[in-house]
């Protein structure tokens, strides 16, 4: 047990970051743009869904492209070569080409936004764009070059190129019989075979990259969690900043107690009677038939505070009555500013009746 405590003390003293990040630390890191994110995932998704889009919209794009070439060769090439005609031709070609690529552009944008949102949710911050001299520190740059992250990125690139190379080789080797027959096929069939093979390769490579990107995201998340870990001292310091220094909070509470006590003592002169124990408890009762439905406790205290209440009552000629059971019950059950409960009406009413009689007042 002693050895375990010594280990904890050494960890705290050395500042070793062994604790998971607090929600506050995570929020601050997120505001700075420091999140677990893989750059491979959006690229892999874009590649896969772009080739998938070519398969889905292939017939539309083929017809549109053929129509564009027909228009150029059968219509526009018969026009006179003038500046106006060339301008119209270029505008038409640009508009038709843009319309041809719109589905791919839309898919790319949507997938890019979705893949980033899938990793980090909605996040907009300009902190990573700020100029920071630490980013051009050569020592820090050298550390990054020879860091574990760099080594992992190198092996990741090697693995990626090896898998892609193998997939391309295996796919082309499987189509070797068709490749040998391409020389005897019409140009249209050659184009269709090339497009089909390219699309299949793109989809296979995209799937492989997505799998690798998922593992990369898991690694990035692990590295991120490791980078934002906190030491026990960091947690204590954060708690002090969030909740306030205990010493300062204690002083604030003490000041608040003094102010509350001062306000309570200012109410004592308004009391009709002080019910005492006689020395340990003192409860100040006030009753205003016009504004109150029942007598109200306006001050109470024990020991030193009870002594101060009796002293103020004496200075302002307020009647003090000794009633041990009632004083104890009022102190225990009724808070300052609360009306007397129904089960104490009779006892308090008798005390007030006596006070009014002494003062020469009528009930």
């Amino acid at each position: 047990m002693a050895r375990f405590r010594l280990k904890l003390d050494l960890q705290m003293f050395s500042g070793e970051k062994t604790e998971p990040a607090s929600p506050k630390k995570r929020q601050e890191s997120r505001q700075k743009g420091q999140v677990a994110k893989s750059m491979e995932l959006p690229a892999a998704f874009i590649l896969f869904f772009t080739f998938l889009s070519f398969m889905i919209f292939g017939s539309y794009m083929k017809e549109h492209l053929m129509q564009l070439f027909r228009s150029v060769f059968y219509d526009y090439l018969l026009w006179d070569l003038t500046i106006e005609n060339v301008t119209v031709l270029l505008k038409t070609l640009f508009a038709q080409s843009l319309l041809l690529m719109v589905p791919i552009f839309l898919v790319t944008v949507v997938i890019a936004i979705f893949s980033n949102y899938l990793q980090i949710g909605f996040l907009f911050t300009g902190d990573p764009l700020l100029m920071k001299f630490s980013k051009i520190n050569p020592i820090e740059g050298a550390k990054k070059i020879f860091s574990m992250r760099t080594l992992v990125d190198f092996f990741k690139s090697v693995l990626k190129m090896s898998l892609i190379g193998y997939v391309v080789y295996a796919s082309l080797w499987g189509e070797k019989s068709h490749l040998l027959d391409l020389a005897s096929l019409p140009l249209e069939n050659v184009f269709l075979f090339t497009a089909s093979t390219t699309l299949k390769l793109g989809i296979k490579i995209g799937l492989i990259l997505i799998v690798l990107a998922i593992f990369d995201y898991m690694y990035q998340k692990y590295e991120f969690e490791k980078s934002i870990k906190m030491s026990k001292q960091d947690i204590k310091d954060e708690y002090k900043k969030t909740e306030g220094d205990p010493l300062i909070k204690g002083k604030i509470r003490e000041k608040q107690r003094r102010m509350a006590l001062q306000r309570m003592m200012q109410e004592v002169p308004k009391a009709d009677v002080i019910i005492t124990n006689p020395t340990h408890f003192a409860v100040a009762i006030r009753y205003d038939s016009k504004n109150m439905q029942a007598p109200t406790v306006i001050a109470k205290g024990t020991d030193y505070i009870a002594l101060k209440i009796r002293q103020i009552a004496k200075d302002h000629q307020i009647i003090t009555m000794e009633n041990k059971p009632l004083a104890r019950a009022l102190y225990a059950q009724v808070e300052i500013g609360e009306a007397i409960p129904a089960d104490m009406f009779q006892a308090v009413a008798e005390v007030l009746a006596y006070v009014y009689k002494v003062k020469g007042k009528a009930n």
Side-chain angles (χ1 to χ4, degrees):
M1 185 68 181
R3 187 179 297 176
F4 178 71
R5 287 180 179 175
L6 178 61
K7 185 178 180 181
L8 289 178
D9 292 339
L10 288 173
Q11 286 180 351
M12 184 176 294
F13 179 77
S14 63
E16 186 178 352
K17 299 183 183 297
T18 57
E19 306 302 313
S22 64
K24 184 174 183 296
K25 177 70 177 290
R26 292 179 184 278
Q27 183 63 29
E28 289 176 351
S29 300
R30 183 176 176 81
Q31 290 174 354
K32 294 177 182 178
Q34 299 172 359
V35 290
K37 179 183 177 182
S38 170
M39 300 301 294
E40 306 286 338
L41 202 59
F45 272 118
I46 290 173
L47 178 66
F48 174 75
F49 283 101
T50 298
F51 277 98
L52 193 63
S53 300
F54 277 122
M55 290 190 69
I56 296 173
F57 300 107
S59 58
Y60 159 79
M61 297 179 71
K62 176 187 174 183
E63 291 298 326
H64 203 82
L65 190 62
M66 295 299 294
Q67 183 62 37
L68 180 61
F69 276 104
R70 288 193 191 98
S71 299
V72 170
F73 287 111
Y74 286 99
D75 298 327
Y76 297 122
L77 289 183
L78 299 178
W79 290 6
D80 295 331
L81 188 61
T82 62
I83 296 177
E84 292 78 6
N85 289 342
V86 171
T87 303
V88 172
L89 174 61
L90 292 177
K91 287 182 178 180
T92 303
L93 291 177
F94 177 77
Q96 293 296 325
S97 301
L98 190 61
L99 189 63
L100 184 67
M101 299 304 296
V102 161
I104 306 302
F105 287 154
L106 288 177
V107 169
T108 303
V109 172
V110 171
I111 294 301
I113 295 174
F114 173 75
S115 57
N116 281 284
Y117 180 81
L118 198 63
Q119 295 185 82
I120 61 175
F122 179 77
L123 176 62
F124 180 79
T125 176
D127 191 86
L129 302 177
L130 296 178
M131 181 65 180
K132 296 180 181 177
F133 291 102
S134 59
K135 294 181 178 180
I136 57 175
N137 187 340
I139 298 176
E140 292 296 326
K143 288 181 180 179
K144 290 180 180 179
I145 292 175
F146 299 102
S147 63
M148 179 60 69
R149 182 185 290 267
T150 305
L151 189 62
V152 171
D153 289 340
F154 172 74
F155 281 112
K156 183 175 62 179
S157 300
V158 171
L159 177 62
K160 188 192 306 182
M161 295 306 298
S162 300
L163 288 174
I164 292 175
Y166 174 76
V167 169
V168 173
Y169 169 77
S171 298
L172 293 179
W173 185 257
E175 298 289 343
K176 61 180 179 178
S177 59
H178 295 88
L179 289 172
L180 296 174
D181 295 336
L182 289 180
S184 59
L185 294 177
L187 184 61
E188 183 178 358
N189 292 347
V190 173
F191 176 78
L192 290 175
F193 172 79
T194 305
S196 175
T197 304
T198 304
L199 289 177
K200 290 178 182 178
L201 277 174
I203 290 177
K204 289 178 182 179
I205 293 172
L207 285 173
I208 292 172
L209 292 180
I210 288 176
V211 173
L212 293 177
I214 291 173
F215 283 105
D216 180 63
Y217 173 72
M218 293 169 64
Y219 171 74
Q220 298 295 341
K221 191 172 182 63
Y222 164 77
E223 283 290 315
F224 172 73
E225 293 293 334
K226 183 179 176 182
S227 67
I228 63 173
K229 276 188 174 181
M230 304 172 68
S231 65
K232 295 182 184 298
Q233 187 61 42
D234 291 337
I235 294 175
K236 289 179 66 176
D237 293 341
E238 183 186 274
Y239 178 79
K240 285 182 180 180
K241 291 179 182 178
T242 305
E243 301 295 330
D245 193 319
L247 294 176
I248 297 175
K249 289 180 70 178
K251 290 180 180 179
I252 292 173
R253 284 195 296 265
E254 181 62 28
K255 188 174 183 180
Q256 290 173 341
R257 281 195 294 267
R258 285 201 203 119
M259 293 175 65
L261 180 60
Q262 186 177 3
R263 286 195 299 268
M264 185 183 74
M265 291 302 180
Q266 290 173 353
E267 294 293 319
V268 173
K270 302 176 183 178
D272 292 315
V273 64
I274 308 297
I275 302 175
T276 65
N277 191 29
T279 57
H280 296 296
F281 293 89
V283 181
I285 302 293
R286 181 170 183 261
Y287 179 57
D288 184 356
S289 58
K290 295 181 180 179
N291 300 318
M292 298 178 182
Q293 295 181 352
T296 302
V297 173
I298 61 172
K300 68 176 184 177
T302 60
D303 299 328
Y304 175 74
I305 297 177
L307 179 62
K308 292 289 293 181
I309 291 174
R310 291 198 303 273
Q311 184 62 46
I312 295 174
K314 183 178 179 181
D315 294 341
H316 290 82
Q317 299 180 349
I318 298 171
I319 297 174
T320 300
M321 290 190 62
E322 180 182 337
N323 189 326
K324 295 181 182 180
L326 183 58
R328 286 179 175 274
L330 288 171
Y331 182 84
Q333 300 180 28
V334 186
E335 296 297 327
I336 297 172
E338 290 184 359
I340 302 298
D343 58 344
M344 297 183 186
F345 276 173
Q346 182 65 32
V348 174
E350 290 176 359
V351 171
L352 288 175
Y354 173 77
V355 171
Y356 294 150
K357 184 177 179 181
V358 172
K359 290 182 177 181
K361 295 182 178 180
N363 290 334

